[in-house]
Amino acid sequence: MASRLPVTIIGGFLGAGKTSLLHNIITEHQGGYLAMLIENPGPLNIDAKAMRGLCGAMRRLQDTVLEIPNGGAEEQLTWLAHAMKEIAQAGRFERVLIEVAGTSSPAWLAEAFLAGGALAEWGELEQIICVVDALDYLRGADPKHGDAWHAFQDEQIAGATLVVLNKCDLLDEAGLGACEHALRREHPHSRIAQTAYGEVPADIWAKPAPGEAIAAVLKRRAQLPAPEMPPLSSAIYRVHRPFHPARFWEWFNAEHPGLLRVNGLLWLASRTLLVGGVSRTRWQNSCGAAGIWWAALPREEWPDDETSLKRMQETWREPYGDRRQELVLIGDPVWLAKSARAQLDACLLTDEEYAKPVQEWGKFPDPFPEWDVEG
């Protein structure tokens, strides 16, 4: 029988920094091969794509990144049991990292690793991590901003053995103190690690939590009343035409009450070389370079493995190759259905603008800060 592999579950609300934590874990990992199982709420698993890209860039070609399919809990557990069995029987992996979606609680999956659970035969749960956006939690703790999503975050936190308080750099000293006070008021038993960019040392995140600690947090979480969840949906916006930088800047920085999360790839007409990486949460926006479009590189610099080439071909459209908008939006179903696409379409180059020579696109007003391709 294959040995049970150590398992770390990573959860947290939308945009809290789960993928940043995973990125840091992979970048700093000095041990054996890792298996990552990643859930993402929506039709496109952006986080899994990012982790595959990182493993490829670091030449960690024996690591495995799998996408947990969307579906009900029973369907997902069946898939996870099959995946865990294959990973354990492969005999080459050191650890399994599971990222659950921001709209899920990590505790529901943790219970499947307890004695008699559907996943207990193949994995030994060592840590349940909940990543918390410090700014978002502080705003949500204020009665003026508090909502059902804050109550849901408290439910996520209650089921964690380690709370990673992320994005602490967005708060001043007083704000950070107020955030930690609010967090400890609601969760006095929580073990908290503060960070800015998901940078948590291995001697903290990889240190196994005692079995009694896992049982205790799951018991506390089960005693909480189930939060009432507002309706939520997701949509993918994929278009092979660039955004006008000024119009997209205006949309990106405007208030959209029905929008909880945006992340993905961006093509600005004024920046035809660089892939834009875009992220928006309820209280923070960020946009920067996420690499160079394959179409902007000479053929000899393209990947030579069939899997990467196939992924490239799936998104390739002449005359501009893989350049595209590929955004995942999560929010109110009515707003997504009635407003999101129309608003984003209005940010694209018009037919007249699109017909101009590419050199002319660089003259469009561009209020975005300069992107550092190394950043």
Side-chain angles (χ1 to χ4, degrees):
M1 178 178 172
S3 300
R4 296 168 71 212
L5 288 171
V7 175
T8 300
I9 298 175
I10 300 172
F13 194 56
L14 298 165
K18 299 181 292 297
T19 305
S20 296
L21 176 60
L22 260 183
H23 187 289
N24 179 69
I25 288 172
I26 296 169
T27 302
E28 299 299 323
H29 186 62
Q30 300 296 320
Y33 304 136
L34 300 173
M36 288 155 275
L37 312 181
I38 300 178
E39 179 191 17
N40 209 48
L44 180 66
N45 199 320
I46 292 284
D47 295 348
K49 292 180 68 173
M51 290 305 102
R52 286 195 192 98
L54 177 62
C55 291
M58 295 188 63
R59 309 305 294 172
R60 293 189 59 89
L61 303 181
Q62 295 300 315
D63 290 346
T64 290
V65 180
L66 300 177
E67 300 179 21
I68 301 175
N70 292 319
E74 185 175 345
E75 180 185 351
Q76 288 186 321
L77 278 178
T78 299
W79 183 92
L80 283 163
H82 179 75
M84 286 294 303
K85 179 180 179 180
E86 286 196 343
I87 290 167
Q89 291 182 338
R92 75 172 194 268
F93 294 102
E94 178 182 281
R95 175 182 296 275
V96 180
L97 303 167
I98 304 178
E99 178 187 330
V100 300
T103 52
S104 300
S105 173
W108 83 267
L109 183 58
E111 292 169 350
F113 285 98
L114 301 182
L119 307 177
E121 183 178 358
W122 308 109
E124 182 173 359
L125 182 60
E126 290 193 344
Q127 197 75 261
I128 312 168
I129 300 175
C130 182
V131 185
V132 177
D133 180 329
L135 175 60
D136 188 78
Y137 194 83
L138 179 62
R139 294 277 181 90
D142 185 334
K144 292 185 296 184
H145 299 293
D147 55 19
W149 295 119
H150 186 73
F152 176 65
Q153 288 185 70
D154 277 328
E155 193 262 354
Q156 290 179 313
I157 294 166
T161 54
L162 173 64
V163 177
V164 173
L165 188 60
N166 195 31
K167 305 185 183 180
C168 292
D169 57 311
L170 300 180
L171 298 175
D172 59 19
E173 185 176 351
L176 184 56
C179 177
E180 186 168 7
H181 176 75
L183 191 56
R184 292 198 179 280
R185 183 181 64 236
E186 296 296 328
H187 308 279
H189 303 287
S190 291
R191 179 182 174 218
I192 301 174
Q194 295 185 8
T195 185
Y197 302 101
E199 298 172 348
V200 180
D203 60 359
I204 294 178
W205 74 260
K207 182 180 180 180
E212 60 269 21
I214 293 176
V217 298
L218 293 180
K219 181 179 179 180
R220 281 196 295 271
R221 181 253 182 182
Q223 293 171 344
L224 292 176
E228 294 186 12
M229 301 283 286
L232 195 66
S233 186
S234 62
I236 182 170
Y237 182 80
R238 183 184 286 121
V239 178
H240 291 263
R241 180 177 289 211
F243 283 134
H244 187 290
R247 290 199 292 271
F248 183 73
W249 170 269
E250 184 177 351
W251 181 88
F252 190 53
N253 290 285
E255 290 189 13
H256 303 289
L259 185 61
L260 280 179
R261 178 81 168 118
V262 180
N263 69 326
L265 306 180
L266 173 71
W267 177 21
L268 292 182
S270 51
R271 310 186 186 198
T272 58
L273 174 67
L274 299 178
V275 181
V278 61
S279 174
R280 174 184 169 123
T281 63
R282 295 195 293 175
W283 313 109
Q284 183 200 15
N285 299 342
S286 64
C287 185
I292 300 174
W293 295 111
W294 289 117
L297 292 171
R299 181 65 179 82
E300 56 267 23
E301 294 188 31
W302 287 9
D304 52 13
D305 63 286
E306 291 186 8
T307 301
S308 297
L309 286 172
K310 182 179 178 181
R311 291 198 188 106
M312 185 196 305
Q313 291 166 359
E314 288 172 351
T315 57
W316 195 274
R317 299 290 186 279
E318 293 297 347
Y320 298 111
D322 60 323
R323 297 179 178 93
R324 65 194 184 279
Q325 319 300 345
E326 193 169 81
L327 305 177
V328 174
L329 300 93
I330 302 173
D332 174 69
V334 176
W335 184 86
L336 287 178
K338 293 186 176 181
S339 303
R341 176 164 287 276
Q343 291 182 13
L344 288 169
D345 283 347
C347 299
L348 297 170
L349 293 191
T350 64
D351 290 345
E352 182 180 354
E353 291 166 337
Y354 187 64
K356 293 182 177 181
V358 174
Q359 294 80 359
E360 294 293 312
W361 295 357
K363 298 178 182 179
F364 294 137
D366 184 348
F368 282 87
E370 184 177 352
W371 293 346
D372 179 6
V373 72
E374 298 297 325

